[in-house]
Amino acid sequence: MKRNFRALLWHAGFLALAQNFIDVDTVIPAMLIESGGTAIHVGILTAIMLGGSSFTQIIFAPFISNFSFKKKFLLTGINARMLALLAMAAMLYFSADLSGSAIIGLIFILITVFSLGGAFANISYTDILGKSLGGNLRKPFFSARQVITGLILLGSAFLAKFVVASTVYPANYARMFLIGFMALSVASLGFWWPRET
């Protein structure tokens, strides 16, 4: 159980670090408009980002609940988000070489993968968290997680501000997503350690 405790705290800490670097809600809609997207495009994108994740949980939850072990689903969801972030970083970096329609198409594909990956991972995370920690470790875990994530979120906010100011758009946001990808990759290691019961 202590092994699971440490692994879950590891994940929480690096996820908090990634949090300020994976904020796709602002830069991606702006990029969509800049690439020739209309109000309809922005509306569909917003629906995918805000409602898509919640809606797909309704679909995924009954499917995942049929399996006793859910770590593979969690890692699938996390890996999907990581690959989407890496692809978004590449898209931003090479955006000058892409047509507007190509960027719009890529945005919809990548945000859909990012949102679906989040829905897939959230369901499994809740289940694994509940099974991996005994009742005597849950209260210390949530207390420690609150302190660790709070401190790291504060520090990462200053780091994110520095990265954004270090160069011009779109290179700065390409770096942001790349750092988010790396932090999420390290955070995902926390789910290779817990022994799922």
Side-chain angles (χ1 to χ4, degrees), residues 101-116:
S101 57
I103 291 174
I104 291 171
L106 281 170
I107 285 173
F108 278 111
I109 292 168
L110 295 175
I111 289 297
T112 300
V113 171
F114 188 79
S115 297
L116 293 181

Side-chain angles (χ1 to χ4, degrees), residues 1 4 68-70 127-128 130-133 194-197:
M1 285 293 181
N4 295 348
S68 299
F69 297 99
K70 299 178 174 63
D127 184 84
I128 291 171
K131 292 190 301 187
S132 297
L133 295 175
R195 293 189 178 97
E196 192 178 3
T197 55

Side-chain angles (χ1 to χ4, degrees), residues 12-28 81-82 84-90 92 111 114 149 151-167 170-187:
F14 281 98
L15 181 63
L17 176 63
Q19 210 65 44
N20 285 313
F21 293 93
I22 60 175
D23 183 14
V24 299
D25 298 344
T26 50
V27 66
I28 295 298
R81 294 200 107 188
M82 285 163 40
L85 276 173
L86 186 61
M88 279 189 262
L92 280 159
I111 289 297
F114 188 79
T149 56
L151 291 172
I152 293 176
L153 274 171
L154 180 63
S156 72
F158 288 107
L159 182 59
K161 182 180 178 183
F162 171 77
V163 172
V164 169
S166 65
T167 186
N172 54 357
Y173 279 99
R175 290 178 184 176
M176 287 277 286
F177 288 156
L178 185 60
I179 293 170
F181 161 78
M182 290 188 291
L184 205 55
S185 300
V186 177

